[in-house]
Amino acid sequence: MSEVDIPPQTASGKVCLHFAMSVDGYVAGPEHSMDFLSRATHRPGLVQEYVESTGAVLAGRRGFDSAIGESRPYGGAWQGPIFVLTHHPEDARPAPHITFLSCPVEEAVRTGLEAAQGKNLEVFSPTIGRQLLELGLVDEIDLHIAPVLLGDGIRLYDAPGSRPLHLQRVGTDPRRCASLRYHPSRS
């Protein structure tokens, strides 16, 4: 059985929502915990693709305060500008190479894309991502599905009362569902 994958990520000045996600749609556990990824693996070379194609990161304040802090994306392999969008920059905990922004999301994207210098702006906040999707400012959504059901946490797309947002899959058939098959772990 062969693994079918999407083409490698390329650096081309895109705005990308990029998340590892549980099968039930959570990108973080309660309190922005990322512990659910401790048993997950990914294909060889995946992290390096993102290290090479990412020029800047845009994150949200709650995720920064809870999960990011002084850690660096991709296990510390990526170095570059991180922008944290917040309503209250005055009480933000300073951290090296972190810029706190208090502006409309459109302006935050412009700032991030400028800093990315032709590479991609990775958005690590589902709340900011939802706003950018509503404004038509997202070029791609990259999801890595971890084989776990969380049942609680931070959802990828939390927009009660909104209309469905249809996506086009990258590949030969843009309407094809992604088919996954798992067995419950007995351990």
Side-chain angles (χ1 to χ4, degrees), residues 1-6 42-44:
M1 191 179 328
S2 67
E3 181 179 325
V4 177
D5 237 333
I6 58 174
H42 48 77
R43 69 174 164 75

Side-chain angles (χ1 to χ4, degrees), residues 8 41 66 78 99 122 147 160 165:
T41 62
S66 301
W78 181 82
T99 302
E122 299 285 334
L165 177 62

Side-chain angles (χ1 to χ4, degrees), residues 11 55 93 115 186:
R93 176 178 34 93
R186 304 287 185 227

Side-chain angles (χ1 to χ4, degrees), residues 2 25 37 63 74 77 105 108 110 160 181:
S2 67
L37 292 175
Y74 307 113
V105 291
R110 280 193 298 275
R181 181 177 297 153

Side-chain angles (χ1 to χ4, degrees), residues 32 34 57-73 82 84 93 98 124:
H32 285 77
M34 300 303 290
V57 168
L58 178 59
R61 175 71 185 270
R62 283 182 296 219
F64 172 79
D65 286 347
S66 301
I68 299 172
E70 293 186 27
S71 66
R72 301 298 296 181
I82 297 176
V84 177
R93 176 178 34 93
I98 305 291
F124 288 174

Side-chain angles (χ1 to χ4, degrees), residues 50-131:
Y50 288 98
V51 167
E52 292 172 5
S53 64
T54 301
V57 168
L58 178 59
R61 175 71 185 270
R62 283 182 296 219
F64 172 79
D65 286 347
S66 301
I68 299 172
E70 293 186 27
S71 66
R72 301 298 296 181
Y74 307 113
W78 181 82
Q79 298 295 315
I82 297 176
F83 299 94
V84 177
L85 190 56
T86 176
H87 294 292
H88 300 285
E90 69 281 353
D91 64 1
R93 176 178 34 93
H97 310 290
I98 305 291
T99 302
F100 293 95
L101 302 175
S102 182
C103 59
V105 291
E106 304 94 328
E107 187 177 330
V109 166
R110 280 193 298 275
T111 300
L113 283 172
E114 265 182 40
Q117 299 180 347
K119 291 186 175 185
N120 299 338
L121 174 62
E122 299 285 334
V123 178
F124 288 174
S125 165
T127 305
I128 294 170
R130 179 185 47 76
Q131 294 172 56

